[in-house]
Amino acid sequence: MPKYIAQIDVMPLKALLDPQGKAVTGSMKNLGLPEIENVRIGKHISLEIEAASKDAASAKVDEACKKLLCNQIMESYEFSILEAK
Amino acid sequence: MPKYIAQIDVMPLKALLDPQGKAVTGSMKNLGLPEIENVRIGKHISLEIEAASKDAASAKVDEACKKLLCNQIMESYEFSILEAK
């Protein structure tokens, strides 16, 4: 079966405070980078998956996000899938 | 000055163990998704930056990554920059 690589971003929902991002935004000022604002920090996950087709891989990755990788009460996710070489 | 949005991925170096990713790979088996392998988990950071040009924004984001966002002994980073609407 072909192998696919998924790149997933899991980010805190826009409506929620992101204390880690807020702290980093503040640190940017102290580092001499005051033009950087509105930092938000989430997770990036890469994984390999064997599947019959890209659509099948996409369905499995969506399932993995919902079941394990993303807490949908506090986070949103998006992902892209590429065929591995 | 125009505003840009940077999307940054900070990932553990390929040569290093990623215990969090290993744990998640194991959990995938228990969740009925054994076709998922080689999970690696890093950070995804989004930020806004004011700069005169895309190149200037890129230089500032690179500086922020090197100074604060990425520990280059253990992590690698890549980013993309888009003009904000």
Side-chain angles (χ1 to χ4, degrees):
Chain A
M1 276 209 286
K3 213 169 219 180
Y4 297 86
I5 294 174
Q7 302 287 348
I8 306 164
D9 289 330
V10 178
M11 296 299 284
L13 291 176
K14 289 235 161 60
L16 297 180
L17 277 180
D18 171 18
Q20 202 186 355
K22 271 265 173 330
V24 169
T25 307
S27 302
M28 290 296 178
K29 314 259 171 291
N30 302 332
L31 276 174
L33 293 163
E35 51 279 85
I36 290 179
E37 280 193 322
N38 208 356
V39 181
R40 293 186 77 81
I41 300 184
K43 285 179 287 184
H44 183 81
I45 301 157
S46 70
L47 56 82
E48 293 173 17
I49 179 165
E50 271 186 11
S53 68
K54 196 169 169 177
D55 282 350
S58 179
K60 289 281 181 189
V61 171
D62 197 63
E63 187 184 346
C65 287
K66 289 203 172 109
K67 279 191 179 170
L68 181 61
L69 300 173
C70 175
N71 170 359
Q72 289 191 282
I73 296 172
M74 298 171 60
E75 297 167 327
S76 65
Y77 66 91
E78 51 188 60
F79 61 85
S80 62
I81 292 187
L82 282 177
E83 190 158 358
K85 280 154 246 159
Chain B
M1 274 208 286
K3 213 170 219 179
Y4 298 86
I5 293 174
Q7 302 287 348
I8 306 164
D9 289 330
V10 178
M11 296 298 285
L13 290 176
K14 288 234 163 59
L16 297 180
L17 277 180
D18 171 17
Q20 202 185 353
K22 272 263 172 337
V24 170
T25 307
S27 302
M28 290 295 178
K29 314 262 171 288
N30 303 332
L31 277 174
L33 293 163
E35 53 278 85
I36 290 180
E37 282 192 320
N38 209 357
V39 181
R40 293 186 78 81
I41 300 184
K43 284 178 289 186
H44 183 81
I45 300 155
S46 69
L47 56 82
E48 293 173 16
I49 179 166
E50 270 186 12
S53 68
K54 194 168 170 178
D55 281 352
S58 177
K60 289 282 182 191
V61 171
D62 197 63
E63 189 185 344
C65 287
K66 290 205 171 107
K67 278 191 179 169
L68 182 61
L69 300 174
C70 174
N71 170 1
Q72 289 191 284
I73 296 173
M74 298 171 61
E75 298 167 326
S76 66
Y77 65 91
E78 51 188 59
F79 60 84
S80 62
I81 292 187
L82 282 177
E83 191 157 357
K85 279 155 250 161

